[in-house]
């Protein structure tokens, strides 16, 4: 989806300004949003890609004027309603109705350390051999899907070199659409600054992305 | 985004969002979707246990133990697990070693991917549009915002975290730190040096 989240190469945002003191959280509400986000995700109703899509689907003006925890909160509200856990009316009133959706699982306090330590690995058994090898020249797809993708706009239709074959990883584009999980080979692809940004680019810089196999064709 | 909390509507804005979050939390708890003890445990983990000190230990070990550095290069996930780190937000770790020829810089242009188990939660600027927009097109401009100028001839390599692989920069060990203990070395490895927006500072040594 070509939305505000796809920021690589955009301009006029001004300098990067680290904030004084850099508190981990700005108020209790940020802590709670982080915690609800992690615990709600652990119900197992949606994938990481589906909730990323919910964040990216916010109207661009809202996305760009929100802090990251505000973006998380807005996406949480949306995904909880879409999956039938809460209703808009409940969110508006704060009063629960008796109807509820039974979650697959609920993360218990005593299980938190083990679950966080284990994480949610995304590597899967390979369905077949990798199409590309280290050193191969590839070209990225030109595409503008309405749905979630992890191929940023600045790296579409560009020629690069495979630097690393990472393994077979869960494919986000279909996963975000609640389709059955599939895995694809994942590669680190390196591009020159010139290839990405043209004649005025810094000739001494390179940029890599992590690209799933279906984003790539031989070049 | 980073300046949002300095806006004039500071009080109203926060009152309203605090109320929204409180309402959401009580709905989630009352409906049995989340365990309040789990919420507290998650906050406690990221407030007190997981942070850039973890990554600094990885770097200091790599500086003092060449075999460890080799293992870290070959399989970042397994090597950080040797020190007890890993898991959510860092299931697949790749270590990017700076060299005299190349400086590494980590970004996530599409969202806020960051190696949580070794660096903790990302700072606001890492998740904000200026950093995400500029770093891939003008990496030296980003470095200048942090007051970092690289030596002549050192290339810049930017890693855009577009998958679930998470990157940690292993900075070069500064000259003049020969014979330092691992603890003393870890103290000079700041968070920014593991993102690539900074360098280790020997003057920070205890």
């Amino acid at each position: 989806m070509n939305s505000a989240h796809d920021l690589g190469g955009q301009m006029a945002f001004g300098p990067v300004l680290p904030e004084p003191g850099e508190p981990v959280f700005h108020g209790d509400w940020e802590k709670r949003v982080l915690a609800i986000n992690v615990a709600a995700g652990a119900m197992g109703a949606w994938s990481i890609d589906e909730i990323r899509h919910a964040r990216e689907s916010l109207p661009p003006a809202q996305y760009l004027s929100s802090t990251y925890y505000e973006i998380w909160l807005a996406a949480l509200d949306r995904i909880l309603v879409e999956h039938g856990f809460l209703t808009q009316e409940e969110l508006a009133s704060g009063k629960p109705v008796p109807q509820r959706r039974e979650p697959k699982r609920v993360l218990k306090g005593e299980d938190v350390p083990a679950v966080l330590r284990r994480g949610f690995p995304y590597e899967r058994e390979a369905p077949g051999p990798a199409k590309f090898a280290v050193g191969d020249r590839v070209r990225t797809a030109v595409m503008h899907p309405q749905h979630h993708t992890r191929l940023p706009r600045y790296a579409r239709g560009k020629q690069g070199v495979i630097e690393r074959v990472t393994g077979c990883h869960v494919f986000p584009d279909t996963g975000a659409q609640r389709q059955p999980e599939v895995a694809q080979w994942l590669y680190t692809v390196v591009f020159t600054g010139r290839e990405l940004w043209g004649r005025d680019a810094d000739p001494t810089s390179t940029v890599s992305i992590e690209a799933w196999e279906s984003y790539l064709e031989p070049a | 985004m980073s300046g949002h909390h300095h806006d004039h509507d500071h009080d109203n804005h926060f009152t309203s969002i605090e109320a929204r979050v409180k309402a959401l939390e009580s709905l989630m708890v009352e409906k049995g979707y989340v365990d309040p003890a789990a919420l507290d445990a998650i906050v406690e983990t990221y407030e007190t246990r997981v942070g850039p000190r973890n990554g600094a230990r990885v770097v200091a070990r790599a500086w003092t133990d060449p075999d460890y550095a080799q293992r870290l290069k070959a399989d970042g996930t397994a090597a950080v697990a040797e020190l007890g780190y890993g898991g959510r937000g860092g299931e697949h770790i790749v270590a990017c070693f700076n060299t005299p020829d190349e400086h590494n810089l980590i970004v996530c242009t599409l969202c806020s991917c960051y190696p949580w188990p070794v660096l903790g939660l990302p700072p606001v600027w890492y998740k904000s549009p200026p950093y995400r927009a500029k770093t891939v097109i003008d990496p030296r401009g980003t470095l200048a915002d942090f007051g970092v100028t690289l030596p002549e001839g050192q290339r810049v390599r930017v890693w855009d975290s577009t998958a679930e692989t998470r990157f940690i920069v292993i900075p070069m060990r500064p000259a003049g730190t020969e014979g330092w203990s691992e603890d003393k070395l870890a103290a000079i490895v700041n968070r920014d040096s593991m993102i690539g927006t900074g360098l280790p500072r020997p003057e920070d040594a205890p």
Side-chain angles (χ1 to χ4, degrees), chain A residues 9 22 29 31 52 63 65-66 70 85 90 99-100 109 116 120 150 154 163 204 206 208 210, chain B residues 1 4 13-14 25 31 33 35 47 88 91-92 125 132-133 140 156-158 160 162 164 191:
Chain A
E22 292 198 329
W29 72 272
K31 302 181 191 181
R52 280 199 186 116
Y63 186 96
S65 58
S66 299
E70 288 173 329
F85 289 107
E90 287 178 297
Q99 291 75 29
R100 67 190 283 276
L116 293 181
F120 303 89
R150 295 293 286 182
Y154 76 83
E163 184 186 72
T204 65
T206 54
S208 64
E210 305 304 295
Chain B
M1 260 171 37
H4 205 118
H13 172 74
F14 267 75
E25 181 173 342
K31 302 201 90 164
Y33 300 146
D35 173 10
E47 259 192 327
R88 195 187 189 284
E91 289 86 352
H92 309 282
W125 58 260
R132 290 163 55 193
R140 287 179 204 271
V156 183
R157 161 65 178 278
V158 180
D160 192 354
T162 56
E164 302 312 325
R191 182 203 61 205

Side-chain angles (χ1 to χ4, degrees), chain A residues 5-11 13-19 22 24-26 28-29 31-40 43 48-49 52 56 63-74 76-77 80 84-86 90-91 94-101 103 105-110 112-113 115-123 149-152 154 163-164 166 169 186 188 190 197 202 204-212, chain B residues 1-2 4-6 13-14 17-18 20-28 30-43 45-47 49 73-77 80-82 84-89 91-94 102 107-113 116-117 121-142 145-146 154-167 191-192:
Chain A
H5 72 284
D6 189 354
L7 281 160
Q10 303 221 47
M11 296 177 188
F13 289 111
V16 183
L17 293 175
E19 64 180 328
E22 292 198 329
V24 177
F25 297 107
H26 308 76
D28 272 349
W29 72 272
K31 302 181 191 181
R32 305 320 281 179
V33 170
L34 169 84
I36 299 167
N37 187 68
V38 172
M43 290 194 294
I48 189 157
D49 299 301
R52 280 199 186 116
E56 294 160 9
Y63 186 96
L64 291 174
S65 58
S66 299
T67 69
Y68 218 81
Y69 284 113
E70 288 173 329
I71 293 172
W72 276 21
L73 177 63
L76 259 178
D77 284 354
L80 286 163
F85 289 107
L86 297 175
E90 287 178 297
L91 286 173
K95 303 263 182 293
V97 298
Q99 291 75 29
R100 67 190 283 276
R101 176 177 163 189
R105 50 181 181 267
V106 172
L107 176 60
K108 292 284 160 209
E110 63 267 28
V112 165
V115 167
L116 293 181
R117 180 62 188 80
R118 188 165 61 242
F120 303 89
Y122 299 91
E123 189 166 6
T149 182
R150 295 293 286 182
L151 181 59
Y154 76 83
E163 184 186 72
R164 182 169 182 274
T166 296
H169 280 228
L186 180 68
T188 302
V190 189
W197 310 110
D202 176 356
T204 65
S205 75
T206 54
V207 177
S208 64
I209 63 166
E210 305 304 295
W212 278 265
Chain B
M1 260 171 37
S2 60
H4 205 118
H5 56 290
H6 299 306
H13 172 74
F14 267 75
I17 198 151
E18 275 168 6
R20 267 179 70 198
V21 174
K22 278 208 166 77
L24 176 63
E25 181 173 342
S26 46
L27 284 170
M28 296 294 284
E30 282 179 60
K31 302 201 90 164
Y33 300 146
V34 300
D35 173 10
L39 300 180
D40 294 337
I42 293 163
V43 171
T45 301
Y46 292 107
E47 259 192 327
R49 277 180 224 182
K73 243 176 223 167
D75 184 344
T77 315
V80 304
E82 286 181 37
Y85 313 132
R88 195 187 189 284
E91 289 86 352
H92 309 282
I93 301 242
V94 173
E102 193 159 76
V107 66
C108 175
T109 62
L110 296 174
C111 52
S112 61
C113 297
W116 286 19
L121 299 172
V124 172
W125 58 260
Y126 183 88
K127 304 180 278 187
S128 300
Y131 185 74
R132 290 163 55 193
K134 186 195 272 193
T135 300
V136 282
I137 191 171
D138 181 17
R140 287 179 204 271
T142 290
D145 289 344
F146 286 86
Q154 195 180 23
R155 298 188 307 269
V156 183
R157 161 65 178 278
V158 180
W159 300 74
D160 192 354
S161 314
T162 56
E164 302 312 325
T165 338
R166 296 288 176 272
F167 306 101
R191 182 203 61 205
D192 287 1

Side-chain angles (χ1 to χ4, degrees), chain A residues 35-189:
Chain A
I36 299 167
N37 187 68
V38 172
M43 290 194 294
W46 55 79
S47 66
I48 189 157
D49 299 301
E50 191 182 339
I51 194 152
R52 280 199 186 116
H53 180 66
R55 294 170 193 152
E56 294 160 9
S57 303
L58 295 174
Q62 181 186 349
Y63 186 96
L64 291 174
S65 58
S66 299
T67 69
Y68 218 81
Y69 284 113
E70 288 173 329
I71 293 172
W72 276 21
L73 177 63
L76 259 178
D77 284 354
R78 184 177 186 139
I79 211 161
L80 286 163
V81 170
E82 279 176 6
H83 280 266
F85 289 107
L86 297 175
T87 65
Q88 286 293 1
E89 294 65 37
E90 287 178 297
L91 286 173
S93 69
K95 303 263 182 293
V97 298
Q99 291 75 29
R100 67 190 283 276
R101 176 177 163 189
E102 187 60 37
K104 267 194 282 189
R105 50 181 181 267
V106 172
L107 176 60
K108 292 284 160 209
E110 63 267 28
D111 296 332
V112 165
V115 167
L116 293 181
R117 180 62 188 80
R118 188 165 61 242
F120 303 89
Y122 299 91
E123 189 166 6
R124 300 289 181 267
E125 202 170 316
K131 192 169 159 187
F132 303 109
V134 171
D136 283 359
R137 297 199 68 81
V138 291
R139 183 173 289 282
T140 55
V142 175
M143 59 174 189
H144 295 278
Q146 298 278 338
H147 55 71
H148 178 73
T149 182
R150 295 293 286 182
L151 181 59
R153 261 176 295 181
Y154 76 83
R156 294 178 190 166
K158 304 294 182 187
Q159 194 171 305
V161 176
I162 303 277
E163 184 186 72
R164 182 169 182 274
V165 183
T166 296
C168 243
H169 280 228
V170 176
F171 184 53
D173 301 39
T174 47
Q177 301 175 74
R178 296 195 211 171
Q179 293 177 21
E181 184 183 288
V182 291
Q184 285 187 14
W185 284 97
L186 180 68
Y187 305 91
T188 302
V189 183

